[in-house]
Amino acid sequence: MKPFTYERPASPAEAAAAAARHPAAKFIAGGTNLLDLMKLQIEAPPHLIDVNGLGLDGIEPMAGGGLRIGALVRNTDLAADARVRRDYALLSRALLAGASGQLRNKATTAGNLLQRTRCPYFYDTNMACNKRQPGSGCAAIGGVSRQLAVIGHSEACIATNPSDMAVALRALDAAVETIAADGATRSIPMADFHRLPGDTPQRETALRPGELITAVTLPAPVGGRQIYRKVRDRASYAFALVSVAAIVQRDGSARVALGGVAPRPWRVEAAEPEVARGAGPAMRAILDGARPTHENAFKVTLAERTLGAVLAEARG
Amino acid sequence: MKFDTPATTNPIDRMTLVGQPLDRIDGRLKTTGKAAYAYEHQDAVRRHAYGYVLGAAIAKGRITAMDLAAARAAPGVLAVVTAANAGPLDKGEMNTAPLLGGPQVDHYHQAIALVVAESFEQARDAALAIRVDYARAEGAYDLAAARDTAEKVKQSASATGDFERAFAAAPVTLEATYTTPDQSHAMMEPHASIAAWDGDALVVWTSNQMIAWGAGELAKTLRMPREKVRLISPFIGGGFGGKLFLRADALLAALGARAAGRPVKVALQRPLVANNTTHRPATIQRIRLGAGQDGRITAIGHESWSGDQKGGQPETAVDQTRLLYAGANRLTQLRLAVLDLPEGNAMRAPGEAPGLMALEIAMDEMAEKLGLDPVEFRILNDTQVDPNDPKRPFSQRQLVECLRLGAERFGWRQRNPRPGQARDGRWLTGLGVAAAFRNNLVMKSGARIRLNSRGGITVETDMTDIGTGSYTIIAQTAAEMMGVGMDQVTVRLGDSSFPASAGSGGQWGANSATAGVYAACVKLREAVAQALGFNSADAVFEGGEIRAGNRRVALGQAAGAAELVVEDSIEFGDLDKRYQQSTFGAHFVEVAVDSATGEARIRRMLAVCAAGRILNPKTARSQVIGAMTMGVGGALMEELAVDRRHGFFVNHDLAGYEVPVHADIPHQEVIFLDETDPVSSPMKAKGVGELGLCGVAAAIANAVHNATGVRLRDYPITLDKYLDRLPELA
């Protein structure tokens, strides 16, 4: 951990302004990922802006029937919220499938969206990693890749996004509200929030330098059977090999997003009509263009079988 | 005390305390956080500093340049230790690669520097500022690729009868190859030490299973007199064999403290544990079984390949196959390849644990081929004598009883012998069984006992408690022998200034160390009797008194104003040559496999163990359920993933190296058969801590086969290995 300075602003605008003054600063909320990365010097921000005091910890109904979830709402609180459990069960289930009780007590909504990959080569500073050190190469390609991406990756990076919550948010058509240093606010659809790596895998989101997440918004409830199925080697406290977030309506139409397979939550809206024809055709369309390694080719099969089980459960 | 004839009746047989399920006497200290572990003895030293270990970034080669300037100039830095400035160092007998590398690098994350600073954070920051240039050398990192270069290990070879001919002639045969991966001990407490010098004398608070070995090895490595080194290790947060030996934390703490002129504490950072320390080496095992149509084994052959650093050791995965089943024609052989991965060494039940992972699947496969129930097949091939030397009996062998009782209690009859038939909703369910076997080793062990004027007993021995319950069973032993209550006994462990003990390893600790305490207590009983005018042969020690006829005197009277101090040790004769001493068990497991995703989950487990007298059924049970849990890890998830290009274990933290969590372990039951083994020691006990692991993974693999019909021979059994072979979804 490099020495760093620290401040604790009182408002979102102040926080964004502080970020403008300290271009290499990081916002810190729960710190469940950032602190680990700082100890390993994978992240070495010279300045931390603690956003825990910004009052962004409420869950408010929105006009039109949606919910606005403050950036600082803890994962535990979000998963337990009665409105979320009733109207957005997918989100609650995804949250509870992630991490551990202790981590969820600390981890925040915005922090969850910004957690970094769990690629083991990203975590070992002796290894080449374009995400950690742009231009150094990717030691994961040709290496131990069982957990890594099968689609959406690039020659520069085959890491996956580890979040469960983000997969649910993607299926729920959530959006991310932000504030910039100049006070400007905007709303970024989840579809655009996480970037694909291309040749700049170090840039993981659509956030601009210093831009602060203030909330995540959910549109009006869409109903349907909402299932989050996370497949992993042990029963709890493990990252997904594959996860399937599905919202299946009575008429058979469905939304499907995948976790564990790509650098971002993986959803292909254009493929969703295929769900009516079954898990096989649907997954072939969703994972069209997949380029797995020999170690993770099973994920393609696993995704299809998992979707099949989810659809059977939804219709059962 | 020499133990060279089978034990007769002795005071332990009273079993008023020994054999009772007493709570741990150190339980309160542990649950209230008051038990001080290695890194927590800062109150024992003044003004300690912190060390941070820098591990090599390559697996093999040389350091060509090391720029320490930035580290030395960093805030708070007191010293930077490297091989270039550490002074001449020797190497411990039990270390294969040097603990402080440079300029030669022998394996990834071999320690190449220690930075000592005022704070941990300063030391870490400075260590990461060290710039190292390397000249990489080609290395061998792939056991399968190196298999053909492996050389036969002479002492492992055994042959009885004519295996090849019998195997060729057998009406029913099985030949299969099994693999087990490299595994990490992944103990909760990383290797940690605090070192303090007083002139030319060194004290190290550390976390080590074998105090006398550790003190000797540290003295040898530092080229100093053994008597100038003191190791203290009262509590150990798990070892599993990873702390049998001197490791880098202790050496570097000593070197750092010398360089800084201050006490220094060093804990191996979690990412270093997998590659810096030892691990259980991967194996490739070839098993050949031949049997008659009647199911009797006529030929049993087991060969195993493993790799290690040059000069290292093989994983002795074939040893149990010499003894577990009958059969006139037998063959075992180990082969060892040179690999440049980190050092392989003992991990809980070395040899038997990976050996049974393979052998007990093979037995299941063979039973299937013969159309026999796997329990009955094993019973049919039981032997009560060493099959290589029929004049040599087992001291006790209740494998058949374990299997029969386990089958009855577990509901084995419910198992459908046709695999892939049992369903419970979306789950495919199956039952599996495996035999458990682990040899019983005995080791010389000493103890000192003090009796004070109030009748209080203090036991001092360098025996360790690695979470197993040593404190408690030693107190039970002393209290039983001296006829006092548990509250009258104080146990002091893990200090090299105490008499050398068996230490904790190879499941020899409980039996050997309590036998050493027994020996010292016999001596104390004689001393008490003599001091108080009793004839020790007919005196009874009970209720804090010595009694004969109508005369009774409080024990404390024997101590007078001072203490009465005795010391003795148990030394074992050749009973382990005349008798084969082993422990036995049977593991039964029910698994459920998700019919869609292939996720395999344990539903329930039962272990039946026959391991001599159980000194404390509560702590013994804890050891066995812990071992069963470790077996679940070995079966379903644990694998150090090798990067075959860079030569290291990639998943070197507890996020990447998965071990079971609570949700993986729903129900475990342990049954101990009522057994005493007078050949093992005066305690008539044996070990259980490793037995509990042996066979578990194979029972799970066999249950997965019963559930799915898929035979898996490569551990861990993860869904990617059989997803495409699962039964069609309904």
Side-chain angles (χ1 to χ4, degrees), chain B residues 106-433:
Chain B
D106 302 287
H107 62 84
Y108 193 76
H109 277 173
Q110 185 178 26
I112 56 169
L114 180 82
V115 175
V116 180
E118 294 285 352
S119 76
F120 174 78
E121 289 74 15
Q122 288 172 327
R124 180 172 61 193
D125 189 28
L128 297 180
I130 295 174
R131 293 290 155 251
V132 187
D133 295 326
Y134 299 94
R136 287 167 200 268
E138 288 293 306
Y141 310 117
D142 184 344
L143 176 62
R147 178 175 174 171
D148 292 342
T149 69
E151 296 190 359
K152 288 185 177 179
V153 180
K154 280 210 179 69
Q155 60 269 30
S156 73
S158 78
T160 297
D162 185 340
F163 170 79
E164 297 292 350
R165 204 175 69 182
F167 181 70
V172 182
T173 60
L174 170 83
E175 175 170 359
T177 297
Y178 306 83
T179 63
T180 64
D182 297 287
Q183 294 180 335
S184 180
H185 306 84
M187 67 294 278
M188 196 175 295
E189 179 202 32
H191 301 70
S193 295
I194 303 177
W197 291 88
D198 181 5
D200 62 352
L202 173 66
V203 180
V204 180
W205 290 263
T206 190
S207 182
N208 191 294
Q209 300 172 226
M210 301 293 296
I211 298 304
W213 289 3
E217 294 278 88
L218 183 55
K220 180 173 189 296
T221 306
L222 290 169
R223 298 170 180 259
M224 58 189 285
R226 165 69 178 79
E227 62 273 15
K228 292 286 188 183
V229 174
R230 183 176 172 199
L231 247 55
I232 303 174
S233 189
F235 294 103
I236 295 158
F240 311 119
K243 295 173 180 169
L244 287 171
F245 313 111
L246 177 71
R247 296 303 310 172
D249 58 303
L251 175 64
L252 290 174
L255 293 172
R258 190 158 68 189
R262 301 247 304 259
V264 167
K265 56 160 65 173
V266 175
L268 291 186
Q269 307 91 260
R270 179 63 66 184
L272 286 185
V273 172
N275 287 282
N276 177 278
T277 73
T278 59
H279 65 279
R280 189 200 300 282
T283 65
I284 299 170
Q285 300 181 47
R286 178 195 191 204
I287 294 179
R288 287 176 288 169
L289 300 176
Q293 295 291 359
D294 61 355
R296 290 187 191 279
I297 293 172
T298 54
I300 181 165
H302 193 165
E303 297 153 273
S304 176
W305 288 254
S306 61
D308 200 2
Q309 292 255 321
K310 193 170 170 49
Q313 303 287 323
E315 180 66 34
T316 56
V318 303
D319 284 6
Q320 72 288 322
T321 307
R322 296 159 78 157
L323 295 164
L324 185 49
Y325 296 112
N329 303 284
R330 320 178 67 85
L331 170 78
T332 64
Q333 180 69 59
L334 296 176
R335 290 181 183 81
L336 178 62
V338 173
L339 292 181
D340 299 294
L341 289 170
E343 186 173 328
N345 215 313
M347 179 167 146
R348 199 174 196 171
E352 282 97 329
L356 287 167
M357 286 168 86
L359 179 64
E360 286 302 289
I361 296 181
M363 289 295 287
D364 201 66
E365 294 195 59
M366 193 65 176
E368 192 180 25
K369 282 196 168 199
L370 288 159
L372 286 171
D373 179 274
V375 170
E376 295 304 324
F377 177 51
R378 287 175 172 87
I379 290 171
L380 187 61
N381 287 287
D382 185 50
T383 173
Q384 291 294 316
V385 296
D386 177 348
N388 310 288
D389 180 3
K391 293 188 297 297
R392 188 166 171 265
F394 284 90
S395 60
Q396 294 280 344
R397 179 174 164 126
Q398 296 200 72
L399 175 61
V400 170
E401 290 78 1
C402 290
L403 286 162
R404 288 213 192 284
L405 181 64
E408 180 196 321
R409 293 292 179 87
F410 199 69
W412 182 249
R413 275 177 309 176
Q414 298 159 20
R415 174 181 177 270
N416 189 328
R418 278 187 60 213
Q421 303 301 307
R423 302 219 171 198
D424 178 9
R426 71 183 219 226
W427 299 95
L428 308 164
T429 63
L431 305 188
V433 66

Side-chain angles (χ1 to χ4, degrees), chain A residues 1-3 39-41 118 120-121 123-124 126-127 139-144 146-147 229-239 241 298 301-302 305-306 309, chain B residues 56-57 108-109 121 124-125 128 271 426 594-597 599 601 637 641-643 645-646 648 650 652-654 658-659 661 663-664 718-720 723 726-727 729:
Chain A
M1 188 178 287
K2 296 274 194 189
K39 290 172 185 174
L40 296 164
Q41 288 195 10
R118 296 288 167 164
Y121 295 92
Y123 268 80
D124 189 327
N126 293 324
M127 293 292 125
I141 294 173
V144 173
R146 181 171 179 268
Q147 291 274 356
R229 182 78 169 84
K230 181 177 182 180
V231 182
R232 42 190 160 178
D233 290 322
R234 64 182 173 190
S236 178
Y237 198 47
F239 295 99
L241 297 169
F298 75 95
T301 312
L302 180 59
R305 294 180 70 106
T306 308
Chain B
Y108 193 76
H109 277 173
E121 289 74 15
R124 180 172 61 193
D125 189 28
L128 297 180
R426 71 183 219 226
D594 188 297
S595 56
T597 65
E599 289 161 293
R601 302 286 187 249
M637 59 195 84
V642 180
D643 185 311
R645 308 158 306 166
H646 299 292
F648 75 113
V650 173
H652 48 59
D653 60 34
L654 292 179
E658 290 183 14
V659 297
V661 295
D664 291 304
T718 48
L719 59 90
D720 46 303
L723 197 57
L726 285 176
L729 287 172

Side-chain angles (χ1 to χ4, degrees), chain A residues 16 19-20 22-23 25 27 114 176 178-188 192-193 195 203-213:
Chain A
H22 299 276
F27 297 115
L114 296 178
V176 181
T178 68
I179 183 168
D182 62 3
T185 61
R186 63 171 176 151
S187 177
I188 308 167
D192 301 330
F193 184 77
R195 301 175 77 252
R203 293 184 55 203
E204 294 171 354
T205 69
L207 292 175
R208 297 173 187 132
E211 192 173 7
L212 173 71
I213 298 173

